[in-house]
Amino acid sequence: RLLLFSLLVLSLPCLSHAQFTTTNIAFAKRDDDANFFPDDTNTLFLLLGRVTSPNFSTNATEIYIQDTNDNMGILVFSSGFVIDTSQYKLGTEMFVGGYIMQTNGVRAINPTVSGLVALNDTNELPPAPASSTIASLLAGAESNEARFVVVSNVYLVTNTWPTWNNSASLSITDATGQI
């Protein structure tokens, strides 16, 4: 991993190793003052995580990654380029360099050029989802942001499942609550 980090840094002539702060996702996106915005938007971070979503955009990069050590996730967001989805598949591991930002209420890392994104491991090993309940998701929404979770034993309360190529607002419930 150190070699890949060095290659990533060396491939960026405008940046030096000293400019990156290598850390985990939880530290980079922290909100210690509880104001719903990241505490540090001025440090250039280098994060490592496994891809937990497809690219949600056709004209930008909008995927989620999760740190497999602490199960914290973050949005990788850039309007400057579209990620190559043939390489960055669910479960692959990637390095991302950029500044932490807030977009549409979600904390994200913003690699402004494609050179700040590098594939580290092509093995498709998605992180295990964190087990949760609806009540705990509602109580800790910010701490679960961008995190891969599973809620078991849920059922549909209202409406019906949408037909193919359609969408609908659905309410689900488990023994602890409803959303």
Side-chain angles (χ1 to χ4, degrees), residues 59-140:
N59 60 355
T61 296
E62 194 174 334
I63 64 168
Y64 288 88
I65 63 170
Q66 185 165 311
D67 187 324
T68 57
N69 293 319
D70 61 11
N71 285 330
M72 294 304 291
I74 195 165
L75 172 64
V76 177
F77 177 80
S78 179
S79 58
F81 65 95
V82 179
I83 197 165
D84 179 0
T85 54
S86 68
Q87 285 188 313
Y88 297 95
K89 298 177 183 174
L90 293 175
T92 57
E93 188 175 63
M94 63 191 291
F95 279 107
V96 182
Y99 294 99
I100 304 300
M101 62 180 282
Q102 191 87 359
T103 180
N104 296 322
V106 178
R107 278 184 216 114
I109 186 165
N110 180 231
T112 53
V113 295
S114 61
L116 290 173
V117 177
L119 197 59
N120 185 53
D121 182 1
T122 58
N123 293 314
E124 297 174 28
L125 304 169
S131 183
S132 191
T133 64
I134 291 175
S136 64
L137 288 176
L138 293 172

Side-chain angles (χ1 to χ4, degrees), residues 162-163 165-169:
T163 57
N165 213 20
N166 288 300
S167 62
S169 293

